[in-house]
Amino acid sequence: MSNDSADKENELHRERAILRKKGQDVLENVEAALKKGKTATDPRQQFKNWLRSSEGQAWEKAEFQRRKGICAYCNTLMREADAVVHHVEPIKKLGCNANRVENYRLLHPNCNLSIGTKIVDFLF
């Protein structure tokens, strides 16, 4: 093999390695964008983000006061720090449409766990 053709072959290998690296970088960027897009449209993540927001925290506090600290499921008093927001119609069934304040109730954590995704009648 001549020196000239060896140089050309080495150059082709370098170019291939550079292109492979660029392709991997593009693929990683696409995967990151897809993951970010999925998170933005995931109803559970949207709900968690809302709960952490000032709007969500204000709603939870106002709802606790409006309900006088009574669990909407077992009708007993609960501490504000213990109250959890429950979806009446589950996210599993309604997706993003479940994330409406009309669909939320404040419950004890154990009441929330015992209900799970079952649809039950609430006291209020």
Side-chain angles (χ1 to χ4, degrees):
M1 188 184 286
S2 72
N3 210 14
D4 208 22
S5 63
D7 288 344
K8 285 183 181 179
E9 189 174 334
N10 285 337
E11 181 62 27
L12 287 172
H13 283 292
R14 278 191 295 274
E15 287 177 9
R16 184 185 296 157
I18 290 169
L19 289 173
R20 187 178 299 126
K21 174 66 174 133
K22 285 182 179 179
Q24 288 172 341
D25 290 346
V26 167
L27 188 59
E28 288 172 8
N29 290 337
V30 166
E31 287 173 351
L34 287 172
K35 184 176 181 181
K36 186 176 180 180
K38 183 179 181 207
T39 299
T41 59
D42 177 42
R44 291 188 197 291
Q45 191 60 47
Q46 288 175 347
F47 176 66
K48 289 176 184 177
N49 291 344
W50 179 80
L51 275 179
R52 283 186 232 120
S53 74
S54 58
E55 179 188 353
Q57 291 174 2
W59 176 86
E60 193 171 353
K61 186 174 188 67
E63 185 69 6
F64 185 84
Q65 291 171 352
R66 188 170 82 82
R67 303 288 186 188
K68 297 177 176 39
I70 302 294
C71 173
Y73 185 65
C74 70
N75 202 31
T76 61
L77 198 59
M78 61 183 163
R79 294 179 340 150
E80 187 172 0
D82 294 337
V84 295
V85 180
H86 175 80
H87 287 83
V88 176
E89 293 279 338
I91 290 176
K92 183 178 180 180
K93 180 179 176 187
L94 295 182
C96 290
N97 292 328
N99 291 333
R100 304 177 328 275
V101 293
E102 307 82 40
N103 192 42
Y104 302 149
R105 298 294 183 275
L106 289 180
L107 310 177
H108 288 107
N110 287 340
C111 291
N112 186 45
L113 288 174
S114 70
I115 294 170
T117 60
K118 294 182 286 189
I119 298 175
V120 299
D121 289 328
F122 288 96
L123 303 170
F124 45 85

